[in-house]
Amino acid sequence: MKRFTYFLFLFCCLSLVCLSLAWAGSWPKIEAALSSWEGPRQVTLRTDLRDPLSSTQVQDLLELLLERGFTVIPAPPESRVSEGLILDLRTAGAGSVLALSRAADGAILAFERQQAEKVSPAAKPLEPAPVPQPAREVAAAGREAFAPGPLELSGRPKRLALLGAAEEGTFDIALLYDDVLEKIRVSAGGAAPLGEWRPQVASSRALHVDTGDLDGDGALEIAAVWAEDLRGIYQGTDSKIHTWVFQVEDEKLYPSGTDLEGYLRIAGGKGVVQKRGTYSPFAGPVLPLVREEEGYRTGAQPILWAGRNLYEATPLSTEEALALNERGNLMLVSLATGKALPGGVLLEDLGAFAGPEVAVRLESPEYRSGFEKEDRIKETYHPLPRRMLVGSDGTAYTVARGRSEGLPLVGRPSGSDALVRVVRNGRSLRLERPFAGVDAFILDFALLERPGHPVAAVLLLNEKEDGSGKAYLLFQEGP
Amino acid sequence: MQRKFCALALVALGVLVFSTPALAEIEFFGTAKVKPTYYSNLDFDDSKSDVATLNEAGWAAGEHVRAEVRLGWKASGEKWRIKMIAEGDLIYNKNNVDRSFYTGAEDANGLSNAGAEFGIERAEFAYTFAPALELSTGWDIRALDIKSGGLLYGDDHPFIGLKGALAEKTRYELLYLPIQNSEAIGAADSTKTGDWRVYSLKLSQGVGDLTLSPLVAFSDNTSKKAQVTYYGLELTGKAGPIKPSFEIIGADGDFKDGADISSWAMFAGVEVPVGKVFNPYLAYRFTQGDDDKNDNDAEGFVGITDIGRFTPLMGMDGNVLGEHLASGASIYNSPLYSFSPDRAVGGNNYGGIGNGSSGNNPGQSLIAVGTKGDLSEFVDKLTYKAQAFFIWYDETGNLINVKNPGKSVDDYAGTTFDLQAKYAFSKNFAVDYIFSTFLLGDGIQDQVDADDPAYVNMLTLAWTY
């Protein structure tokens, strides 16, 4: 009996600790006033901070308000508010003050002071994102290097990037397969493999490939990203990310440095990297790729990326980017804050595009239909979004998915995919369809910009949406 | 009747889907598992014929094929969700698969195999009022300690629950489990006859990458005239590269006009991810035993449902220790899903799966070592898990020595060894095989006067969609 009395005492102490931790917050008076508020669940947050979202105080306040079911309207200090609550945050000397008042009559319901936020002495403003490099400009080769129709490829490449013209009438392309990176040379006569490199990774899948002159030597490097699926009987599947940068010498591919173990993209001639989270497909800020003597490493200074993941936003300038909203529409956003710019939404539906997937283990598996391993959801799959490339005129190009596989078992594929471009007109966006639709799934594409010629594209096509069917290369010229 | 209800539910759902296109997201899913299995010598004695034991599909012995077929559907809106799962679970037998209820289809016990009928096996209905308050009810999986040792509770009993987030890292769950509510017509005090209700509260507090969870549960088992309060603490999460898990549970109560119930149990385990192929773990599982069934103390630990078979470190879907080594099939007397011999000895009965465990049980002290990994370096999509359990009885005073009558039973029960390999042909189809054996220690040899290992060989063909 004694030991259980002791156990009961221990249990009560622990419960009190948990409850006190639960109840304690950074602004107890504000929280208490919010809990007792019975009016409209709306708070106007007025602050004199220049960039409110970058303030940890504002971030904590937003989490507090949103968790309690309030909608939050940011506003400048002088805004007039007629409904709900007003939360005024002002910096004052060495600290800040918070006042919660009732909009109807201005009555102050709670007031708190806080010490100033500690500012890291080493804090620097985020680097602006690299402005996307225009699509490859090709002086010589172009149309004549490609067959007039789709060129069937051996194997099942999943991604491609352009390397440029080699000899007259030929063009070099990097193709990324699940288990190999291959450099091929296309000509009117077909495609010839040149060099290849295989990751020493079992169970790999192709995610992304890009080319760019990362070291400023005038030659293009290739950045290739694979996912390695790590499986556990009871733990499910988890994808580890592998990335190498390759130099091309004498038609052979040489990895430059070690595995970066993070997603990589080349934008504006510069590499940008983002890591995976333990239980999330992306984690942490987008970081620069830094050249070292023996290869490359991930830099430490975050890059402005509209608060999105690496492949979900495409910078158009040092201030604006294209990103998807929660409904899947493209929109113009601020690169610094990620906020949508007024009037910058493209309402046209580009179709549901599901790129290669990254498997992420769940921290707590869901017991969907039972206890056994087959009955549990142990991981989630996250498809990468469609590629978006920016031309030299600032126009963005991407894939519009119009083709579908049809009904399971009985359906046949139908519809057409097409490469489309998104044109800016001030702050508004307009969709144009300069290229003909194709009766195949567009897995990936690259742009060719040649002086005196319209923009052209090289498409990687496949009979099946997941890239498991026959693959083709197709050259398309715009109007 | 169940089939009609199931069909009606499907029709109603179909009408709902087509008539109100913007009402909710609806998703269908399911599994189909076929398990050719061979139980051998669960009684540890080659000289005797094996008797049937119980699994989810019913009574089975020797070679048999169990099939578990589930079809589920989920509908959800912004704040509400509904999930139902229909299931058929049967042993491959013409009388089970060909409409179970016709005359002549009864099993050897004179019963139709109701489990073969495709009925609603699980259901959950929930509404989220606020992040701090979600109401859910139904009969679906709920657990108190399944992330650690599974000593106390994990099952799909009926429930009404409230749960939510009190703060960013603080969560709670309050459960009311009317496990049994069986009325007896004309019986005095009939509202309490055959009843078993459990009330529980669990708090979970995040501390860095760890989660600390104090819990309490009150078991009002009027069916067995026993009331027990369980107090516990669970710890899970990550500490750097290693993953510790720990739980400790105390039980305090009594039988009406009977023995005092006083016991405890604990689990501690750690997993160390070394590499892709090798991820070892070490665990210790303890349940207190009773030393004297004739005194007034029921000290053998009995939880609400010991769910050890489905715990992350030691669990395996079909190893010998997780099968039903009870109901006359084996002297070890651990019921289905339980790793501890909580049905052994008999008397002072309360709790456990099926409310059939004994407060006079000998308890267990178990050391587990194991490893698991991904073998795709050698064969793509091949994974494995291997483990060994070293099992001692905590108390042997209530066990009978048949080999040397009059002498006490040795405390070393035996050793189990499990090996499982799985090949995933695709996301939707996988095959796995378990080889599992129970090698007798002197403790069980003393009780059966034999020395023959028990085996389970189980192949699983699994379709998931």
Side-chain angles (χ1 to χ4, degrees):
Chain A
M1 207 50 201
K2 266 189 190 171
R3 59 185 167 179
F4 294 112
T5 308
Y6 172 75
F7 209 83
L8 178 61
F9 173 72
L10 180 67
F11 173 78
C12 289
C13 287
L14 282 164
S15 299
L16 281 170
V17 166
C18 288
L19 286 168
S20 64
L21 281 168
W23 291 330
S26 301
W27 305 275
K29 296 173 189 169
I30 300 290
E31 289 178 50
L34 288 171
S35 297
S36 58
W37 173 251
E38 293 181 352
R41 311 288 289 177
Q42 177 178 298
V43 173
T44 300
L45 177 62
R46 300 193 302 199
T47 171
D48 56 358
L49 290 171
R50 211 169 142 218
D51 186 9
L53 274 182
S54 62
S55 159
T56 51
Q57 265 191 330
V58 171
Q59 290 165 9
D60 291 342
L61 277 169
L62 284 176
E63 280 179 356
L64 167 70
L65 293 166
L66 292 171
E67 271 179 12
R68 278 163 169 69
F70 286 89
T71 54
V72 182
I73 304 172
E78 64 278 8
S79 302
R80 293 174 71 85
V81 182
S82 59
E83 190 185 4
L85 293 168
I86 305 170
L87 187 59
D88 285 299
L89 171 66
R90 301 282 187 277
T91 48
S96 55
V97 294
L98 269 171
L100 183 71
S101 53
R102 200 161 47 205
D105 57 6
I108 296 176
L109 304 177
F111 177 78
E112 296 207 48
R113 287 194 190 88
Q114 280 220 329
Q115 294 297 320
E117 291 179 33
K118 288 186 182 170
V119 178
S120 161
K124 286 193 250 179
L126 294 176
E127 284 188 24
V131 176
Q133 184 184 25
R136 201 70 60 245
E137 293 198 0
V138 176
R143 188 70 187 85
E144 64 278 8
F146 294 90
L151 173 67
E152 187 172 343
L153 298 171
S154 63
R156 293 176 175 80
K158 302 290 175 59
R159 289 291 177 269
L160 92 167
L162 299 187
L163 282 165
E167 305 150 4
E168 192 170 337
T170 68
F171 210 90
D172 288 351
I173 293 175
L175 290 178
L176 189 68
Y177 297 73
D178 284 342
D179 57 353
V180 67
L181 171 67
E182 189 178 60
K183 177 183 170 184
I184 65 168
R185 181 159 291 166
V186 292
S187 62
L194 296 177
E196 68 173 36
W197 189 86
R198 292 180 181 273
Q200 298 305 307
V201 167
S203 203
S204 57
R205 289 183 295 107
L207 288 186
H208 188 79
V209 69
D210 263 331
T211 53
D213 184 7
L214 294 173
D215 54 8
D217 64 353
L220 294 178
E221 283 74 44
I222 306 172
V225 186
W226 283 276
E228 177 191 8
D229 288 333
L230 304 174
R231 295 181 180 86
I233 294 180
Y234 297 96
Q235 292 72 38
T237 303
D238 202 42
S239 296
K240 185 177 178 185
I241 310 301
H242 295 279
T243 298
W244 289 272
V245 177
F246 297 88
Q247 311 271 14
V248 183
E249 291 176 18
D250 298 325
E251 314 305 359
K252 290 198 185 329
L253 306 175
Y254 296 95
S256 181
T258 55
D259 185 351
L260 291 163
E261 294 186 346
Y263 305 95
L264 177 57
R265 185 177 174 183
I266 298 177
K270 292 186 181 176
V272 283
V273 181
Q274 192 175 19
K275 298 290 187 183
R276 234 210 74 165
T278 306
Y279 299 112
S280 59
F282 295 86
V286 172
L287 299 165
L289 185 71
V290 175
R291 174 89 176 119
E292 285 186 321
E293 196 175 322
E294 296 300 322
Y296 298 86
R297 65 173 173 83
T298 304
Q301 184 62 32
I303 288 179
L304 293 176
W305 207 260
R308 302 294 203 284
N309 297 328
L310 185 65
Y311 301 109
E312 289 180 348
T314 300
L316 296 175
S317 66
T318 55
E319 292 179 350
E320 295 167 336
L322 276 176
L324 293 170
N325 65 11
E326 61 276 3
R327 289 177 298 280
N329 296 111
L330 271 177
M331 59 181 183
L332 267 179
V333 297
S334 160
L335 203 56
T337 65
K339 229 171 128 180
L341 300 177
V345 176
L346 186 71
L347 293 177
E348 280 90 337
D349 183 7
L350 294 180
F353 183 98
E357 294 175 326
V358 174
V360 177
R361 263 183 207 151
L362 294 178
E363 186 173 7
S364 294
E366 176 195 332
Y367 293 96
R368 187 178 67 170
S369 56
F371 284 109
E372 293 194 355
K373 56 191 182 306
E374 297 87 2
D375 300 314
R376 286 183 266 153
I377 306 291
K378 302 181 284 292
E379 71 275 305
T380 49
Y381 288 88
H382 302 261
L384 297 186
R386 69 197 86 207
R387 187 188 288 270
M388 186 142 323
L389 288 178
V390 180
S392 56
D393 60 352
T395 304
Y397 292 80
T398 190
V399 175
R401 172 75 80 225
R403 191 162 181 80
S404 71
E405 295 270 19
L407 290 172
L409 300 179
V410 298
R412 293 170 58 87
S414 63
S416 303
D417 277 4
L419 196 62
V420 298
R421 68 179 172 213
V422 180
V423 179
R424 286 178 62 178
N425 185 6
R427 280 271 174 91
S428 68
L429 299 175
R430 184 179 76 248
L431 188 71
E432 293 181 354
R433 296 176 182 269
F435 299 97
V438 290
D439 286 349
F441 292 96
I442 300 177
L443 299 187
D444 203 2
F445 71 96
L447 294 180
L448 273 175
E449 290 187 298
R450 302 152 296 164
H453 291 266
V455 172
V458 179
L459 308 180
L460 177 62
L461 307 176
N462 199 284
E463 289 177 334
K464 294 194 186 292
E465 192 174 1
D466 63 359
S468 60
K470 279 189 193 163
Y472 302 89
L473 216 56
L474 179 67
F475 177 92
Q476 278 194 325
E477 204 151 21
Chain B
M1 186 66 189
Q2 277 178 319
R3 264 198 189 157
K4 281 185 184 169
F5 173 75
C6 192
L8 199 61
L10 277 170
V11 168
L13 188 63
V15 168
L16 197 65
V17 167
F18 289 108
S19 62
T20 53
L23 190 63
E25 286 183 20
I26 296 175
E27 176 191 339
F28 286 89
F29 57 91
T31 55
K33 285 174 267 185
V34 176
K35 293 175 174 268
T37 305
Y38 186 57
Y39 293 147
S40 169
N41 211 32
L42 301 184
D43 58 7
F44 307 117
D45 190 344
D46 274 346
S47 67
K48 292 183 184 170
S49 299
D50 294 346
V51 298
T53 187
L54 196 62
N55 63 31
E56 293 91 332
W59 293 99
E63 175 273 328
H64 63 279
V65 180
R66 175 188 160 214
E68 179 197 275
V69 181
R70 289 187 176 142
L71 172 64
W73 52 95
K74 294 197 296 188
S76 63
E78 192 182 332
K79 293 192 174 192
W80 62 273
R81 67 175 188 276
I82 288 178
K83 178 178 74 174
M84 296 191 206
I85 295 159
E87 177 192 277
D89 204 332
L90 51 92
I91 303 295
Y92 271 14
N93 176 339
K94 170 187 169 296
N95 290 340
N96 291 339
V97 303
D98 198 9
R99 300 180 299 280
S100 305
F101 289 99
Y102 63 85
T103 304
E106 301 85 1
D107 65 11
N109 302 311
L111 301 170
S112 302
N113 187 354
E117 297 302 295
F118 205 59
I120 300 290
E121 167 73 8
R122 297 204 175 89
E124 186 195 22
F125 322 106
Y127 191 86
T128 304
F129 295 95
L133 186 63
E134 178 190 287
L135 168 70
S136 60
T137 184
W139 50 105
D140 198 4
I141 289 169
R142 286 297 183 272
L144 290 174
D145 58 346
I146 199 170
K147 289 185 181 180
S148 52
L151 293 160
L152 182 56
Y153 176 68
D155 215 322
D156 56 355
H157 291 327
F159 69 93
I160 299 177
L162 297 172
K163 67 178 183 181
L166 297 173
E168 186 186 340
K169 290 192 172 188
T170 308
R171 298 191 62 85
Y172 76 96
E173 183 168 26
L174 193 61
L175 285 176
Y176 164 60
L177 305 167
I179 300 175
Q180 287 177 205
N181 191 359
S182 310
E183 306 305 336
I185 298 172
D189 201 20
S190 62
T191 55
K192 293 192 178 175
T193 308
D195 289 356
W196 182 17
R197 294 183 173 86
V198 172
Y199 311 81
S200 73
L201 170 64
K202 182 177 180 181
L203 298 172
S204 295
Q205 176 64 48
V207 181
D209 287 336
L210 297 171
T211 302
L212 195 60
S213 304
L215 58 93
V216 62
F218 175 63
S219 167
D220 184 11
N221 195 340
T222 54
S223 170
K224 298 292 182 182
K225 298 186 174 62
Q227 288 188 332
V228 188
T229 304
Y230 298 94
Y231 309 88
L233 182 68
E234 184 186 49
L235 174 79
T236 56
K238 282 183 72 174
I242 69 169
K243 295 179 188 175
S245 58
F246 170 82
E247 70 164 317
I248 186 164
I249 307 286
D252 185 31
D254 55 24
F255 287 91
K256 186 179 177 184
D257 303 326
D260 286 332
I261 296 172
S262 175
S263 189
W264 72 290
M266 69 158 283
F267 170 86
V270 64
E271 181 184 344
V272 182
V274 172
K276 188 173 173 179
V277 175
F278 184 62
N279 293 277
Y281 81 84
L282 177 66
Y284 176 68
R285 198 175 198 261
F286 172 80
T287 58
Q288 185 183 18
D290 184 85
D291 59 353
D292 183 1
K293 64 183 179 183
N294 297 313
D295 64 12
N296 206 36
D297 293 317
E299 293 172 323
F301 183 82
V302 175
I304 301 166
T305 304
D306 184 322
I307 199 70
R309 168 163 161 161
F310 296 116
T311 51
L313 276 187
M314 295 170 60
M316 189 175 281
D317 295 346
N319 63 331
V320 63
L321 201 63
E323 293 292 312
H324 190 69
L325 301 180
S327 300
S330 175
I331 196 72
Y332 186 68
N333 271 304
S334 62
L336 189 64
Y337 305 153
S338 170
F339 284 161
S340 64
D342 49 87
R343 283 201 179 184
V345 183
N348 285 328
N349 291 102
Y350 75 101
I353 192 170
N355 212 5
S357 294
S358 167
N360 296 331
N361 77 73
Q364 177 192 72
S365 187
L366 185 158
I367 295 175
V369 293
T371 180
K372 58 186 184 241
D374 183 334
L375 299 174
S376 56
E377 301 286 335
F378 311 102
V379 177
D380 195 20
K381 301 178 187 177
L382 182 65
T383 47
Y384 82 100
K385 181 173 183 179
Q387 58 192 14
F389 297 168
F390 305 93
I391 309 167
W392 289 262
Y393 289 117
D394 180 49
E395 296 283 353
T396 58
N398 293 332
L399 302 177
I400 298 171
N401 193 325
V402 169
K403 185 176 177 182
N404 296 299
K407 291 204 168 172
S408 62
V409 169
D410 190 85
D411 64 353
Y412 189 64
T415 308
T416 65
F417 173 73
D418 311 318
L419 176 62
Q420 181 176 24
K422 175 182 169 184
Y423 188 84
F425 288 88
S426 74
K427 274 189 204 174
N428 303 104
F429 178 65
V431 175
D432 77 85
Y433 171 71
I434 292 175
F435 168 79
S436 180
T437 182
F438 196 146
L439 306 172
L440 308 190
D442 287 340
I444 292 185
Q445 289 182 40
D446 286 345
Q447 296 176 76
V448 299
D449 194 15
D451 182 17
D452 301 311
Y455 296 95
V456 172
N457 287 273
M458 183 183 292
L459 181 71
T460 300
L461 314 172
W463 289 261
T464 311
Y465 58 95

